[in-house]
Amino acid sequence: MRYLLYILVFFGSHYCNAAAIKLQSYSGDTSLPHKLLLTALARQNLTYIHPYESDKDISNARILNDVKNGQLDVMWSMTSQQLEQDYQAIYIPLFRGLLGMRVAIVTQQNRDIFKHVTQLSELKEFSAGQGKTWPDTQILKANGLEVLTTLKYPNLFPMLEGNRFDYFPRGVNEPWDEIATHQELNLTVDPYILLKYTAPLYFFVAKDNHTLANQLSNALQAMIADGTFSSMFFDDSQVQMVLAKANLAARTVIPLENPSLSSDTPLSHPSLWFDPLNESSNTP
């Protein structure tokens, strides 16, 4: 009887640990992807843990490797053909395309460096900073832009302030919170230009984790159908900040090609996308 109890306790605890979905985020994360993921997991009655809870300064390269080796179950990233070959994407753009609209963080003294920039050839005179393994790094380079890279995302802010490069392109939902987090640095948001390309951000799981991929896809589709996804999107503080602060209509749009966009991109499903530059876009 004692042996049987031991077996039940052992395998019961092992099952609980195995069932907990391992996330790239930490418990205090307030980002939209994190909130969408927790809602989707709850709809599937799945529990979760945060392996990086005690160390939030994790490189993208490690996240990619940890999903491959099973240390993580879910990550989110701007997509690329290579990512979709190596991992299973859940083809629902979490920011509804907003991350393909990029505004630049610049130093205060360079606030007006793009005042007279109206086309790509003029932007090529300046250097951008990006993460070494980020998919959008390859997009910028493919369009002939000079890009300096680092493996560590936090390094980009002091590198910009130290004039290692001229600007740091960010998704339109990102720069204000980031500047607030780095108040000790002399940074601001460029008010003049908007880089625009199709670059959805998806959830990714390991290539062979079909069960979790289906669970997340089903939950997110249900959230779209009942309006939960749209409500969470427009309620998100970063999205609200974009619509209030980015002044997108007044910016010079510089279109870029995304050669890493796969044929599986759900461009034929307009309900998945939001374009604040298009008056016909669906709004709350």
Side-chain angles (χ1 to χ4, degrees):
M1 189 67 176
R2 184 182 302 169
Y3 178 75
L4 178 60
L5 229 111
Y6 171 79
I7 293 294
L8 288 172
V9 168
F10 175 81
F11 283 102
S13 63
H14 176 75
Y15 173 79
C16 289
N17 289 335
I21 306 302
K22 300 181 286 293
L23 314 183
Q24 77 168 63
S25 51
Y26 59 97
S27 58
D29 192 348
T30 60
S31 70
L32 179 60
H34 179 254
K35 291 183 290 187
L36 288 170
L37 179 56
L38 296 194
T39 303
L41 293 174
R43 290 200 173 203
Q44 294 291 322
N45 297 313
L46 297 171
T47 59
Y48 56 86
I49 57 175
H50 302 281
Y52 298 157
E53 186 69 46
S54 60
D55 184 3
K56 302 177 181 63
D57 185 16
I58 304 296
S59 72
N60 193 58
R62 178 177 167 187
I63 290 172
L64 293 170
N65 187 63
D66 283 354
V67 174
K68 273 192 175 178
N69 64 29
Q71 298 300 307
L72 284 182
D73 293 312
V74 189
M75 65 178 183
W76 55 82
S77 173
M78 182 180 293
T79 194
S80 68
Q81 290 183 18
Q82 189 63 55
L83 272 178
E84 292 177 36
Q85 288 174 15
D86 294 342
Y87 304 87
Q88 177 58 57
I90 289 82
Y91 289 99
I92 296 172
L94 301 177
F95 276 105
R96 304 182 66 191
L98 275 185
L99 281 190
M101 300 178 195
R102 317 292 284 187
V103 295
I105 299 178
V106 295
T107 60
Q108 287 281 356
Q109 61 266 34
N110 282 342
R111 184 183 183 278
D112 293 325
I113 60 169
F114 298 137
K115 187 173 185 177
H116 303 293
V117 171
T118 60
Q119 53 193 355
L120 179 59
S121 60
E122 295 167 339
L123 186 61
K124 290 179 180 180
E125 299 176 13
F126 303 93
S127 59
Q130 292 283 273
K132 186 172 185 178
T133 62
W134 295 356
D136 44 342
T137 300
Q138 299 309 314
I139 296 172
L140 298 176
K141 288 182 176 180
N143 283 269
L145 296 170
E146 181 183 351
V147 185
L148 278 73
T149 64
T150 177
L151 278 173
K152 294 280 191 177
Y153 155 76
N155 292 349
L156 288 159
F157 299 94
M159 287 172 68
L160 173 60
E161 205 244 358
N163 296 313
R164 296 279 301 280
F165 47 82
D166 300 308
Y167 65 108
F168 182 12
R170 306 299 292 140
V172 288
N173 61 299
E174 296 173 315
W176 287 274
D177 284 349
E178 292 176 326
I179 289 172
T181 302
H182 297 85
Q183 292 183 18
E184 75 283 3
L185 302 178
N186 191 30
L187 305 178
T188 188
V189 179
D190 157 68
Y192 298 107
I193 64 172
L194 177 71
L195 307 184
K196 190 174 187 294
Y197 47 90
T198 302
L201 181 138
Y202 298 138
F203 289 129
F204 287 89
V205 300
K207 198 69 175 177
D208 60 353
N209 198 347
H210 306 298
T211 298
L212 182 56
N214 289 333
Q215 288 172 317
L216 290 176
S217 181
N218 291 340
L220 291 168
Q221 292 287 1
M223 290 163 62
I224 291 169
D226 67 17
T228 300
F229 194 109
S230 180
S231 294
M232 293 180 69
F233 174 78
F234 285 112
D235 286 344
D236 181 69
S237 61
Q238 289 186 328
V239 172
Q240 291 179 351
M241 192 178 297
V242 169
L243 300 180
K245 288 188 174 183
N247 199 20
L248 297 176
R251 291 174 176 267
T252 298
V253 178
I254 299 179
L256 302 180
E257 296 296 323
N258 182 357
S260 67
L261 202 63
S262 82
S263 59
D264 292 315
T265 307
L267 297 174
S268 61
H269 299 281
S271 63
L272 298 180
W273 306 89
F274 171 68
D275 185 354
L277 300 176
N278 184 350
E279 291 182 1
S280 65
S281 284
N282 50 325
T283 53

